[in-house]
Amino acid sequence: MPHHFSFEEYQDRVSRAQSALSKQGLDAILLFAPESQFWLTGYDTFGFALFQCMVLSRSGDIHLLTRRPDRLQAQLTSTLQIDHIHIWSEAQGADPIADLSRLLAELGMSDAKLGYESKTAGLTDYWGQQLRNTLPNLVDYSDLISDLRRDKSDAEIAMHRTAAALSDDALDAALRATKAGAFEGDILAEMQGAVFRGGGDYAGNEFILGSGERALLCRSASGRRHLSAQDQLTIEWSGAYARYHAAMMQTLIVGQASNQHRKMFAAANEALTACEAAICPGAPMGDVFHAHADTFDAHGFQHARLQACGYGMGAVFAPIWVDFPMFYEGNPQIMRENQVFFLHMILMDDATGEAMCLGHSVLCSHSGTERLSRHTPQLFEL
């Protein structure tokens, strides 16, 4: 049985999913997103990288079709009954879609109205094409479970708080390790080690770290260097606990910050505060982006900002910890109480070669935005 949440909580999630299926007139939905499978049952695996499918019926019956290596994984991590875990045949010419079709027939769903998830790394384009060719009447309901997952229970919020504490621990480790001459690999090792020592997990994507000219990158890249006596180091990371995330972002200055760095930090700190003020139940996510953009533009940094300033946080799997949707211009998605978001204020000016990034995760509550980090945003000179 899963140990992260009570059996009653999983029952409540299944009940909410059943209601969503009924509302859409669906008999069942084929779940390929590992986040959906984890949220519904606790099933925890990276086996989604190969074909697997969870079938949720409107009656609340749940079946899993997976590979043999994940049979015990499902038994030990999920609420699934043993006889509801099915193995597809692996041999030359194997066709898991045919096995899925046979399973649906056994469940009496050959003519059922079925939804499915396509917006996920758990269903490759290759298998997606095979799936639609075999079951041509499928309807895409990729957002059905993800919309339910956005509203966090008290137990889930507790997981996010633990993840945020681990993120803070990782920042403390980075601050201790960052100095002139320090090796980037050692900084990463200290940050990741802090998460593991605190009982956390691997995050949904790599910790992002880059110094010098690579401090202007929003992605990790292979290759490590030693920090110079005067340098800049941009890091983006997340503690993860029971797959729940609370990302943070920071540019650290080795030596003394330039006047431009100071101006960029002032703008980023003001933009972060403005974005927090824009997060409230009932408001569209686009309002947050506009708070970010208006602040940076007023400071003369329109050329250095990005077209998004954050996104949802949740229990997510590789390859990224982004839990969509994002804060972008005109996004009509309404924010609700007990949703968790990551706000990142990113300034990367390739004209001057300087970067300044600032970000942390927040909880949308009835009384306003709550910062989950214990760290107060500041300009670090190390």
Side-chain angles (χ1 to χ4, degrees), residues 300-319:
F301 288 118
Q302 182 177 9
H303 65 288
R305 65 170 171 84
L306 300 185
Q307 294 178 314
C309 65
Y311 39 81
M313 289 270 95
V316 293
F317 289 71

mmCIF file of all heavy atoms in Angstrom, residues 300-319:
data_model
loop_
_atom_site.group_PDB
_atom_site.id
_atom_site.type_symbol
_atom_site.label_atom_id
_atom_site.label_comp_id
_atom_site.label_asym_id
_atom_site.label_seq_id
_atom_site.Cartn_x
_atom_site.Cartn_y
_atom_site.Cartn_z
ATOM 1 N N GLY A 300 13.000 49.468 -17.664
ATOM 2 C CA GLY A 300 13.806 49.478 -18.873
ATOM 3 C C GLY A 300 14.418 48.140 -19.242
ATOM 4 O O GLY A 300 15.409 48.084 -19.986
ATOM 5 N N PHE A 301 13.803 47.049 -18.769
ATOM 6 C CA PHE A 301 14.369 45.721 -19.018
ATOM 7 C C PHE A 301 13.483 44.848 -19.901
ATOM 8 O O PHE A 301 13.564 43.621 -19.850
ATOM 9 C CB PHE A 301 14.618 44.997 -17.688
ATOM 10 C CG PHE A 301 15.772 45.541 -16.899
ATOM 11 C CD1 PHE A 301 15.576 46.084 -15.643
ATOM 12 C CD2 PHE A 301 17.053 45.522 -17.430
ATOM 13 C CE1 PHE A 301 16.637 46.592 -14.914
ATOM 14 C CE2 PHE A 301 18.133 46.029 -16.708
ATOM 15 C CZ PHE A 301 17.917 46.566 -15.447
ATOM 16 N N GLN A 302 12.664 45.478 -20.739
ATOM 17 C CA GLN A 302 11.807 44.694 -21.615
ATOM 18 C C GLN A 302 12.617 43.756 -22.499
ATOM 19 O O GLN A 302 12.206 42.617 -22.769
ATOM 20 C CB GLN A 302 10.947 45.616 -22.483
ATOM 21 C CG GLN A 302 9.982 44.858 -23.397
ATOM 22 C CD GLN A 302 9.090 45.797 -24.197
ATOM 23 O OE1 GLN A 302 9.297 47.006 -24.200
ATOM 24 N NE2 GLN A 302 8.099 45.243 -24.864
ATOM 25 N N HIS A 303 13.798 44.203 -22.924
ATOM 26 C CA HIS A 303 14.631 43.419 -23.828
ATOM 27 C C HIS A 303 15.238 42.185 -23.154
ATOM 28 O O HIS A 303 15.648 41.243 -23.834
ATOM 29 C CB HIS A 303 15.774 44.283 -24.361
ATOM 30 C CG HIS A 303 16.740 44.715 -23.300
ATOM 31 N ND1 HIS A 303 16.415 45.659 -22.339
ATOM 32 C CD2 HIS A 303 18.020 44.327 -23.035
ATOM 33 C CE1 HIS A 303 17.446 45.844 -21.540
ATOM 34 N NE2 HIS A 303 18.432 45.041 -21.927
ATOM 35 N N ALA A 304 15.266 42.181 -21.803
ATOM 36 C CA ALA A 304 15.964 41.109 -21.087
ATOM 37 C C ALA A 304 15.024 40.132 -20.396
ATOM 38 O O ALA A 304 15.477 39.116 -19.857
ATOM 39 C CB ALA A 304 16.908 41.714 -20.042
ATOM 40 N N ARG A 305 13.724 40.406 -20.424
ATOM 41 C CA ARG A 305 12.771 39.515 -19.751
ATOM 42 C C ARG A 305 12.268 38.445 -20.701
ATOM 43 O O ARG A 305 12.460 38.521 -21.928
ATOM 44 C CB ARG A 305 11.594 40.304 -19.179
ATOM 45 C CG ARG A 305 10.702 40.987 -20.216
ATOM 46 C CD ARG A 305 9.442 41.524 -19.557
ATOM 47 N NE ARG A 305 8.649 42.371 -20.435
ATOM 48 C CZ ARG A 305 7.758 41.936 -21.316
ATOM 49 N NH1 ARG A 305 7.566 40.624 -21.467
ATOM 50 N NH2 ARG A 305 7.047 42.772 -22.044
ATOM 51 N N LEU A 306 11.582 37.454 -20.131
ATOM 52 C CA LEU A 306 11.055 36.358 -20.931
ATOM 53 C C LEU A 306 9.551 36.530 -21.183
ATOM 54 O O LEU A 306 8.939 37.487 -20.698
ATOM 55 C CB LEU A 306 11.313 35.021 -20.224
ATOM 56 C CG LEU A 306 12.784 34.678 -19.955
ATOM 57 C CD1 LEU A 306 12.902 33.279 -19.357
ATOM 58 C CD2 LEU A 306 13.622 34.781 -21.226
ATOM 59 N N GLN A 307 8.964 35.556 -21.885
ATOM 60 C CA GLN A 307 7.539 35.615 -22.218
ATOM 61 C C GLN A 307 6.677 34.808 -21.253
ATOM 62 O O GLN A 307 5.492 34.614 -21.495
ATOM 63 C CB GLN A 307 7.328 35.119 -23.651
ATOM 64 C CG GLN A 307 7.967 36.026 -24.694
ATOM 65 C CD GLN A 307 7.795 35.495 -26.103
ATOM 66 O OE1 GLN A 307 8.007 34.313 -26.369
ATOM 67 N NE2 GLN A 307 7.399 36.363 -27.016
ATOM 68 N N ALA A 308 7.262 34.372 -20.158
ATOM 69 C CA ALA A 308 6.527 33.703 -19.083
ATOM 70 C C ALA A 308 7.272 33.977 -17.797
ATOM 71 O O ALA A 308 8.476 34.275 -17.807
ATOM 72 C CB ALA A 308 6.418 32.196 -19.332
ATOM 73 N N CYS A 309 6.566 33.902 -16.668
ATOM 74 C CA CYS A 309 7.214 34.228 -15.392
ATOM 75 C C CYS A 309 6.899 33.195 -14.312
ATOM 76 O O CYS A 309 6.953 33.509 -13.121
ATOM 77 C CB CYS A 309 6.838 35.627 -14.934
ATOM 78 S SG CYS A 309 5.081 35.851 -14.547
ATOM 79 N N GLY A 310 6.576 31.974 -14.709
ATOM 80 C CA GLY A 310 6.331 30.926 -13.722
ATOM 81 C C GLY A 310 5.243 29.981 -14.180
ATOM 82 O O GLY A 310 4.743 30.070 -15.317
ATOM 83 N N TYR A 311 4.850 29.093 -13.257
ATOM 84 C CA TYR A 311 3.906 28.040 -13.605
ATOM 85 C C TYR A 311 3.482 27.300 -12.340
ATOM 86 O O TYR A 311 3.983 27.568 -11.238
ATOM 87 C CB TYR A 311 4.535 27.068 -14.595
ATOM 88 C CG TYR A 311 5.991 26.752 -14.321
ATOM 89 C CD1 TYR A 311 6.362 25.810 -13.374
ATOM 90 C CD2 TYR A 311 6.995 27.414 -15.032
ATOM 91 C CE1 TYR A 311 7.697 25.540 -13.127
ATOM 92 C CE2 TYR A 311 8.338 27.139 -14.791
ATOM 93 C CZ TYR A 311 8.687 26.206 -13.835
ATOM 94 O OH TYR A 311 10.001 25.929 -13.593
ATOM 95 N N GLY A 312 2.589 26.349 -12.515
ATOM 96 C CA GLY A 312 2.107 25.578 -11.384
ATOM 97 C C GLY A 312 3.148 24.598 -10.873
ATOM 98 O O GLY A 312 4.044 24.171 -11.598
ATOM 99 N N MET A 313 3.005 24.256 -9.592
ATOM 100 C CA MET A 313 3.826 23.220 -8.967
ATOM 101 C C MET A 313 2.917 22.082 -8.531
ATOM 102 O O MET A 313 1.758 22.299 -8.143
ATOM 103 C CB MET A 313 4.547 23.768 -7.736
ATOM 104 C CG MET A 313 5.668 24.746 -8.005
ATOM 105 S SD MET A 313 7.311 23.975 -8.213
ATOM 106 C CE MET A 313 7.400 23.825 -10.000
ATOM 107 N N GLY A 314 3.461 20.869 -8.582
ATOM 108 C CA GLY A 314 2.680 19.712 -8.138
ATOM 109 C C GLY A 314 3.569 18.503 -8.015
ATOM 110 O O GLY A 314 4.795 18.613 -7.940
ATOM 111 N N ALA A 315 2.948 17.331 -7.973
ATOM 112 C CA ALA A 315 3.675 16.066 -7.983
ATOM 113 C C ALA A 315 3.888 15.679 -9.433
ATOM 114 O O ALA A 315 2.954 15.243 -10.105
ATOM 115 C CB ALA A 315 2.895 14.992 -7.236
ATOM 116 N N VAL A 316 5.097 15.875 -9.929
ATOM 117 C CA VAL A 316 5.372 15.673 -11.343
ATOM 118 C C VAL A 316 6.602 14.790 -11.529
ATOM 119 O O VAL A 316 7.406 14.607 -10.625
ATOM 120 C CB VAL A 316 5.571 17.015 -12.077
ATOM 121 C CG1 VAL A 316 4.281 17.803 -12.126
ATOM 122 C CG2 VAL A 316 6.663 17.843 -11.416
ATOM 123 N N PHE A 317 6.721 14.253 -12.731
ATOM 124 C CA PHE A 317 7.785 13.332 -13.090
ATOM 125 C C PHE A 317 8.642 13.937 -14.200
ATOM 126 O O PHE A 317 8.265 14.918 -14.834
ATOM 127 C CB PHE A 317 7.192 12.001 -13.559
ATOM 128 C CG PHE A 317 6.578 11.179 -12.450
ATOM 129 C CD1 PHE A 317 5.394 11.566 -11.841
ATOM 130 C CD2 PHE A 317 7.186 10.002 -12.021
ATOM 131 C CE1 PHE A 317 4.825 10.813 -10.829
ATOM 132 C CE2 PHE A 317 6.625 9.240 -11.007
ATOM 133 C CZ PHE A 317 5.446 9.637 -10.411
ATOM 134 N N ALA A 318 9.794 13.321 -14.440
ATOM 135 C CA ALA A 318 10.664 13.724 -15.541
ATOM 136 C C ALA A 318 9.868 13.711 -16.857
ATOM 137 O O ALA A 318 8.895 12.977 -16.965
ATOM 138 C CB ALA A 318 11.846 12.758 -15.618
ATOM 139 N N PRO A 319 10.225 14.530 -17.833
ATOM 140 C CA PRO A 319 11.510 15.216 -17.937
ATOM 141 C C PRO A 319 11.563 16.621 -17.342
ATOM 142 O O PRO A 319 12.635 17.217 -17.309
ATOM 143 C CB PRO A 319 11.725 15.277 -19.449
ATOM 144 C CG PRO A 319 10.332 15.406 -20.003
ATOM 145 C CD PRO A 319 9.481 14.546 -19.105
#
